[in-house]
Amino acid sequence: MKNTISFVFLLCVGLVSPFNYLVFCPLYAHSHHKFLAKIADTLSDAGHNVTFLAPIIIRKYENVKYLDSTKDIVYIQPSKKLESLGVTSDYSKFWNQDATAIQFVPAIRAFTKMFEQLYEDLKEDLTVLDELKNRKFDALVFEFLCPTALRELTFKNSNLKLLVSAIAEYLDIKAVLPSLSMTHHPLMSRLIGEPSSPSVLPSMISSFGDDMTFPERLQNTIGDIFFTLFVHFPPMTSFKNPEKLIDVEDMTARSPFMFMNGNPYLDYPRPLLTKSVLIGGISVNVTQLKQEKLSENYNQILSKNKKNVLISFGSMIFSKDMPQEYKDTIVRVIESRQDVTFIWKYEEEDVSFAKNLPNLYFSKWVPQTALLADSRISAFVTHAGLGSVTELSYMGKPAVLIPIFADQLRNSKTLARHNGSITLSKYDLSDFDKLRNAIDTILNEESFKINAERLSQQLQDQPVSPQDLLVRHAEFAAKYGELPNLDPCSRQMSFISFYMIDIILFFGVIIGSVVLGVVLITRWAFSFCVRPKQKVQ
Ligand SMILES: *[C@@H]1O[C@H](CO)[C@@H](O)[C@H](O)[C@H]1NC(C)=O
Ligand SMILES: *[C@@H]1O[C@H](CO)[C@@H](O)[C@H](O)[C@H]1NC(C)=O
Ligand SMILES: *[C@@H]1O[C@H](CO)[C@@H](O)[C@H](O)[C@H]1NC(C)=O
């Protein structure tokens, strides 16, 4: 208790003078942009100076405004070559295809090229970085592996880490704070010496939970070996000294903290180092969302029936692209429940397939958080993207989860542990009875609602809120820089000593020798006793 008080006191003292933070966020994907913007805003709200450095890669993201209280935004225009390398992918095939790692390989290559070019661009023209030099940043925050839609592929985006290391070195920033808009990453754990055995920590290419069967663990282990052997960091040299190679592994190991988008009250429990700070839920402010006003149109729609269901498959994969068979099943289910109103995020004008049902409303865009915060929404049918799962958990809504690809299967398994949701396979969307049963159960069985609400309360009552966790750790890092006292010895242990293979062998030999000894002595003694009898016969 005393320690906690002095810790808080120390931080309050730190607050007297604001720190300077640099948040580095190349613009090429929504999820990580949103997460880093939230981090920047939270630090700004706590009274610090935050500079948001945003090299543009894909033009359309230049106009997406996620930042609110952070005003100092430095854009870097892309070279023609970089702009031409920007990757936008079409995921609609995953509606009726399994998502395997191999399908993502071309995208990995594309991302690799993109970051290499960004590095070349920056090296060519260091003026922006030179201007930033005078600001004397205390800490740098960046996305460890920029996930996009292709969350699993992010292994290869290690180039980005190299690039950031080069920037940190050039600007002389003593505290580098990698952040991750996903829940966890085995490579990130490994680099800081956190337990990350493939028996307990699923890789990003898998959709497994924490409770893996033998084939799943086998697959997970093979994937782990594959990436350890074949993923290498391409060489990048220092901006200051072109002779000097950047050592990204060392740089990562020396980072004082890492911020991850997982939440310990929602996610699987696992062994963590003090360096891993879980700030999942930082984007959700329940008080604020409950105050948001819905438009009159939505007010009317929600007042028609006692029960209302929101259907949305997110913004990465579109409802309009789903197979006609799935659309027809959903419409038939909705038709069979005339006493329930359904709002469906659907991205096309032409909805003639829906037979003008009186209890079905389409919208190209839905105010998802405001709807989830409204007590009249009874259930949410979703693709289980991390953002949606976190939001519905905070708002306490029972859900039918229909994961399509990437980490969505994992997210649905995470939520299932809290007993407030039902998971269906995407292929079940062609099965009327299964879908109708799931919707009926989630609407009628009180237990789902009670469990969802309990989770929501727990998330809101967390001992330390994600916002406080971020601000306090970021301040501590800015104040003290690198924290070698948090660097575990296990980081440098060999595979054999970490997994106790030498100890097991040692005991094995001793036990083996004793057993062998006992067997030999018994045999000898036995033969000694038995021999006289034979003589008698
Ligand atoms: C933060 O920004 C303000 C306004 O730009 C500036 O006056 C102040 O010196 C900055 N603080 C630090 C610690 O650099
Ligand atoms: C959440 O929103 C409320 C109302 O806008 C605000 O007073 C509060 O400070 C916010 N909480 C956090 C942690 O940002
Ligand atoms: C969910 O239900 C299972 C089985 O009834 C139970 O063991 C588990 O503790 C429940 N989980 C929560 C979070 O209530």
Side-chain angles (χ1 to χ4, degrees):
M1 192 59 207
K2 213 170 172 184
N3 279 346
T4 324
I5 291 171
S6 53
F7 178 68
V8 172
F9 176 67
L10 208 67
L11 289 165
C12 292
V13 173
L15 266 182
V16 175
S17 62
F19 290 113
N20 284 340
Y21 293 98
L22 177 65
V23 177
F24 177 75
C25 178
L27 301 186
Y28 73 97
H30 278 291
S31 55
H32 85 276
H33 184 178
K34 208 169 156 182
F35 184 61
L36 285 176
K38 195 70 212 175
I39 289 181
D41 277 350
T42 309
L43 291 171
S44 295
D45 291 343
H48 298 293
N49 284 1
V50 181
T51 301
F52 199 77
L53 177 60
I56 297 160
I57 296 180
I58 295 177
R59 281 275 170 206
K60 67 175 177 181
Y61 294 114
E62 187 181 358
N63 302 315
V64 181
K65 294 278 174 264
Y66 285 123
L67 285 167
D68 184 18
S69 49
T70 305
K71 301 294 179 215
D72 187 15
I73 309 170
V74 179
Y75 289 111
I76 301 178
Q77 295 299 321
S79 64
K80 283 230 160 59
K81 194 157 174 214
L82 179 58
E83 204 175 349
S84 71
L85 290 174
V87 191
T88 43
S89 308
D90 174 18
Y91 307 116
S92 58
K93 61 172 183 271
F94 293 118
W95 273 114
N96 46 13
Q97 244 181 55
D98 286 336
T100 65
I102 293 149
Q103 282 164 308
F104 291 115
V105 169
I108 306 184
R109 295 227 174 88
F111 281 120
T112 307
K113 280 207 189 121
M114 203 164 86
F115 290 121
E116 270 168 7
Q117 187 56 42
L118 180 55
Y119 167 80
E120 296 298 335
D121 278 15
L122 284 176
K123 199 169 181 180
E124 191 102 317
D125 181 3
L126 287 164
T127 45
V128 175
L129 291 184
D130 283 334
E131 272 166 36
L132 292 176
K133 247 182 176 171
N134 314 328
R135 307 210 193 171
K136 306 227 173 326
F137 291 108
D138 299 297
L140 183 153
V141 182
F142 75 103
E143 166 88 25
F144 180 74
L145 303 165
C146 285
T148 55
L150 309 177
R151 301 191 165 208
E152 44 272 74
L153 284 202
T154 43
F155 285 96
K156 259 285 186 175
N157 292 356
S158 39
N159 301 41
L160 186 69
K161 264 180 304 164
L162 275 162
L163 175 59
V164 171
S165 304
I167 293 173
E169 191 222 30
Y170 192 70
L171 298 180
D172 254 333
I173 304 178
K174 57 190 166 117
V176 178
L177 299 166
S179 307
L180 185 72
S181 56
M182 295 177 282
T183 52
H184 76 290
H185 202 296
L187 185 62
M188 200 161 162
S189 294
R190 181 159 313 148
L191 287 178
I192 61 169
E194 189 167 78
S196 58
S197 157
S199 62
V200 287
L201 198 57
S203 80
M204 298 314 295
I205 37 160
S206 76
S207 45
F208 314 140
D210 62 341
D211 185 11
M212 289 182 270
T213 59
F214 177 76
E216 286 174 346
R217 272 184 291 125
L218 186 64
Q219 221 174 308
N220 201 37
T221 308
I222 292 172
D224 201 73
I225 294 171
F226 179 83
F227 278 103
T228 314
L229 291 183
F230 296 105
V231 175
H232 293 291
F233 302 112
M236 275 191 198
T237 58
S238 159
F239 286 139
K240 277 185 201 160
N241 173 4
E243 306 281 294
K244 188 178 154 204
L245 277 178
I246 297 283
D247 183 351
V248 67
E249 303 200 358
D250 177 58
M251 200 97 180
T252 310
R254 285 192 285 122
S255 46
F257 298 113
M258 292 186 164
F259 299 117
M260 275 168 281
N261 203 6
N263 183 299
Y265 297 88
L266 175 61
D267 214 320
Y268 307 113
R270 66 183 172 94
L272 288 172
L273 292 180
T274 312
K275 283 190 172 204
S276 294
V277 184
L278 300 185
I279 58 168
I282 192 166
S283 324
V284 194
N285 181 336
V286 177
T287 326
Q288 195 187 348
L289 292 174
K290 290 228 159 112
Q291 288 165 359
E292 262 179 50
K293 289 266 173 292
L294 279 172
S295 69
E296 199 39 47
N297 184 28
Y298 277 112
N299 259 328
Q300 279 177 9
I301 294 173
L302 293 179
S303 303
K304 286 199 171 137
N305 278 311
K306 253 196 163 145
K307 289 185 173 168
N308 300 283
V309 175
L310 172 63
I311 306 175
S312 167
F313 290 95
S315 50
M316 238 151 55
I317 195 158
F318 296 121
S319 292
K320 73 178 170 70
D321 297 326
M322 72 168 70
Q324 191 57 42
E325 198 188 358
Y326 294 1
K327 295 183 193 174
D328 292 340
T329 318
I330 296 176
V331 168
R332 274 175 63 211
V333 169
I334 294 174
E335 194 175 16
S336 75
R337 287 295 311 244
Q338 296 284 343
D339 58 326
V340 180
T341 302
F342 291 82
I343 300 169
W344 186 356
K345 177 183 173 287
Y346 193 86
E347 305 79 8
E348 222 167 41
E349 293 290 347
D350 179 15
V351 289
S352 49
F353 68 92
K355 313 180 214 166
N356 280 324
L357 294 177
N359 61 331
L360 171 57
Y361 295 88
F362 288 102
S363 178
K364 284 188 189 164
W365 179 84
V366 290
Q368 180 168 310
T369 44
L371 282 170
L372 290 177
D374 194 296
S375 59
R376 289 170 293 179
I377 290 283
S378 333
F380 185 23
V381 177
T382 166
H383 65 309
L386 183 59
S388 293
V389 165
T390 311
E391 282 163 14
L392 76 88
S393 304
Y394 265 86
M395 308 306 180
K397 293 295 175 197
V400 175
L401 306 174
I402 309 177
I404 313 294
F405 76 125
D407 61 341
Q408 296 161 8
L409 214 65
R410 176 192 189 274
N411 300 337
S412 67
K413 287 181 177 165
T414 318
L415 193 62
R417 289 173 67 242
H418 301 278
N419 303 334
S421 62
I422 295 175
T423 302
L424 290 181
S425 145
K426 62 187 173 192
Y427 304 111
D428 290 340
L429 281 173
S430 55
D431 185 332
F432 173 82
D433 291 326
K434 271 197 177 155
L435 186 61
R436 155 98 206 210
N437 269 340
I439 301 267
D440 278 355
T441 314
I442 208 81
L443 287 176
N444 299 337
E445 275 189 28
E446 198 66 11
S447 72
F448 289 99
K449 193 166 175 237
I450 294 168
N451 290 328
E453 273 167 9
R454 189 193 43 226
L455 175 61
S456 153
Q457 279 310 319
Q458 286 187 359
L459 289 171
Q460 292 174 57
D461 286 346
Q462 278 175 75
V464 186
S465 74
Q467 289 83 3
D468 283 349
L469 281 174
L470 171 79
V471 172
R472 290 176 179 192
H473 285 91
E475 284 171 351
F476 198 85
K479 185 166 181 185
Y480 294 105
E482 287 173 24
L483 295 169
N485 38 346
L486 296 186
D487 186 15
C489 186
S490 58
R491 183 168 71 81
Q492 284 159 34
M493 271 167 113
S494 70
F495 182 86
I496 290 181
S497 41
F498 186 83
Y499 288 100
M500 307 207 308
I501 293 171
D502 48 354
I503 305 277
I504 292 169
L505 280 178
F506 178 76
F507 279 124
V509 168
I510 291 186
I511 293 171
S513 320
V514 169
V515 169
L516 193 69
V518 169
V519 167
L520 287 180
I521 290 170
T522 321
R523 264 178 64 181
W524 175 77
F526 193 68
S527 59
F528 200 73
C529 300
V530 169
R531 219 167 271 149
K533 276 190 189 167
Q534 283 174 337
K535 264 188 190 163
V536 173
Q537 275 181 347

